[in-house]
Amino acid sequence: QVMSFCFPTEYTMHVERKECAYCLTINTTICAGYCMTRDINGKLFLPKYALSQDVCTYKDFMYKTVEIPGCPRHVTPYFSYPVAVSCNCGKCNTDYSDC
């Protein structure tokens, strides 16, 4: 058995909007790490979907919303971001991940 090195990791991001007076620093967690993969012999004979490799991706996540201070009334001051609760090695879902 090979141990997985894919887990929630602390991450700091900076959020700003041109119209607002402040840049906000947000501490969150993202999925990061390495997943076991292998290159299959005979890949010329397999369909493309069988060749995709596993990546470290979100298993469970939730969204948090913060308010960016200093925004004028006509600008929506809210920003939502994902927080990784747990991670796993699997196929990358482009609905909510940048693969």
Side-chain angles (χ1 to χ4, degrees), residues 2-41:
V2 176
M3 187 172 158
S4 173
F5 294 103
C6 171
F7 47 85
T9 303
E10 292 181 16
Y11 183 76
T12 301
M13 72 172 99
H14 304 280
V15 178
E16 64 180 322
R17 291 212 168 110
K18 285 190 274 185
E19 304 87 358
C20 304
Y22 296 95
C23 176
L24 198 59
T25 300
I26 297 172
N27 293 316
T28 186
T29 55
I30 61 169
C31 290
Y34 302 97
C35 296
M36 183 69 175
T37 188
R38 66 178 93 167
D39 193 10
I40 300 169
N41 289 335

Side-chain angles (χ1 to χ4, degrees), residues 23-66:
C23 176
L24 198 59
T25 300
I26 297 172
N27 293 316
T28 186
T29 55
I30 61 169
C31 290
Y34 302 97
C35 296
M36 183 69 175
T37 188
R38 66 178 93 167
D39 193 10
I40 300 169
N41 289 335
K43 57 187 168 189
L44 294 174
F45 306 108
L46 295 173
K48 282 189 178 186
Y49 69 84
L51 299 175
S52 62
Q53 297 177 343
D54 286 346
V55 296
C56 181
T57 188
Y58 295 95
K59 182 176 179 183
D60 293 311
F61 64 95
M62 63 181 180
Y63 279 97
K64 286 191 176 179
T65 300
V66 293

